[in-house]
Amino acid sequence: MPPRTSVPPPRRLPLLVTSDSDLLDDLLRLAAAGGVEVDLAPDPVAARSRWAPAPLVLVGTDQAQQCLRARLPYRRRLVLVGRSGDLEPGWEVADLMGAEHVATLPAAEPWLVDRFAECGPDQPVPGGARAVAVLGGRGGAGASILAGGLAVTAARSRLRTLLVDADPLGGGLDLVLGWEQLDGLRWPALTDAEGRVDAPALVRALPSRGDLVVLSWDRGDLLPLPAPAMAATLDAARRGRDVVVVDLPRHLDDAAVTALQTVDRAFLVVPAELRATAAAARVVAAAAPHCADLSLIVRGPAPGRLKAAEVARALGLPLAGTLRPEPGLCRGLERGEAPAADGRGSLAALCQRIVGELTGAPAAGAA
């Protein structure tokens, strides 16, 4: 295994969305009392990339209407906050935003201190499942195989896992697992979903085996995937699963951006080739602004002896690992065998390490 040069993902901080300096001073004081640092955004434009990953979001009344117009995705642990007298239409606006609470200062100060304290460094991160995304630096890079391997590995570790196919042009992740004959809903039946989706009902409706559930595309007509459908599905997945793995397209549509903003970590898979590295640079430019923790996985062989560290330097990404050639893996996929299912080989070892790092527990088959 190559030395890991990436660092553990940073802890997500509560997000304050306000340009009211007096309100901000009050919230910073309450956050300090709760023993937690916070992230700041003066408006929804600045908040968008941090909206979904934050463990807690507080929106000031001065930015409530702007957030509504920005159509930010639904999320849990959203609080509308302001002073008495500023919250006359508070519950109406809160309902439209999907906020769970309206906090009126100064009466709600002790309650807010407790909410901040729940996000402190010694507390578990709220929000349910850990989520990871995979995307390819070029076509055929192997991102879908890595995504499938991560999901299979997590399920082998007795983690309730959802594998989400976010690439409408990928042919269907059920094929990667050999699950194309399994009954269950595919994306075309869920593209109208929005708001709050019942997590147990979603899991029951999808193709599954053991602890692994898959949301894939079918081979029918190509349909657009709206961002609200992706947001609602991932919110349900966070509530109902332990691990979520998302296979992203290289050309990021709104739904893919929503997913990328939601995950805890993302991995870019790049073959050890000069042209693939050049193509991957464009993917990095599109993806990096939406992801706080993007790192690189380099796949061999390297026809020109290009080293993984050189690819990482060229792309400006931390190197999370490498994948050696596995001819048997490709043969197994053609026979309908899921990647990393036997727990052996370069792919399985990398997936075991990533799942362990993501969840904080050893994965099945890990040394």
Side-chain angles (χ1 to χ4, degrees), residues 295-359:
S295 53
L296 176 69
I297 293 172
V298 177
R299 182 173 64 81
R305 298 186 178 181
L306 188 62
K307 297 183 184 301
E310 294 171 335
V311 178
R313 281 196 297 271
L315 296 176
L317 294 178
L319 179 62
T322 61
L323 288 169
R324 297 189 302 274
E326 292 187 69
L329 175 63
C330 296
R331 292 193 296 268
L333 291 172
E334 291 297 320
R335 295 192 296 266
E337 298 172 5
D342 61 4
R344 297 193 297 269
S346 174
L347 174 65
L350 179 64
C351 290
Q352 288 160 11
R353 176 162 60 82
I354 290 173
V355 169
E357 291 170 354
L358 189 70
T359 62

Side-chain angles (χ1 to χ4, degrees), residues 11-12 53-55 77 118-120 123-130 238 264:
R11 183 176 181 84
R12 307 295 192 184
R77 295 176 61 84
E118 291 172 353
C119 303
Q123 301 296 324
V125 178
R130 310 303 294 169
R238 287 272 197 176
D264 302 293

Side-chain angles (χ1 to χ4, degrees), residues 270-282:
V270 181
E273 303 165 5
L274 182 60
R275 188 177 178 191
T277 302
R282 295 181 179 271

Side-chain angles (χ1 to χ4, degrees), residues 10 139 152 159 174 204 234 236 261 266 288 302 315 317 335:
V152 168
L159 295 167
D174 53 356
R204 288 194 300 268
L234 292 182
Q261 292 172 347
L315 296 176
L317 294 178
R335 295 192 296 266

Side-chain angles (χ1 to χ4, degrees), residues 183-240:
D183 292 333
L185 297 184
R186 267 65 173 178
W187 265 123
L190 297 169
T191 53
D192 291 333
E194 59 180 72
R196 190 175 179 88
V197 173
D198 183 75
L202 175 67
V203 169
R204 288 194 300 268
L206 298 176
S208 65
R209 280 179 179 164
D211 287 317
L212 179 56
V213 180
V214 175
L215 176 52
S216 181
W217 288 94
D218 61 12
R219 264 62 68 187
D221 294 339
L222 182 63
L223 298 174
L225 177 54
M230 177 63 76
T233 299
L234 292 182
D235 171 70
R238 287 272 197 176
R239 287 183 275 115

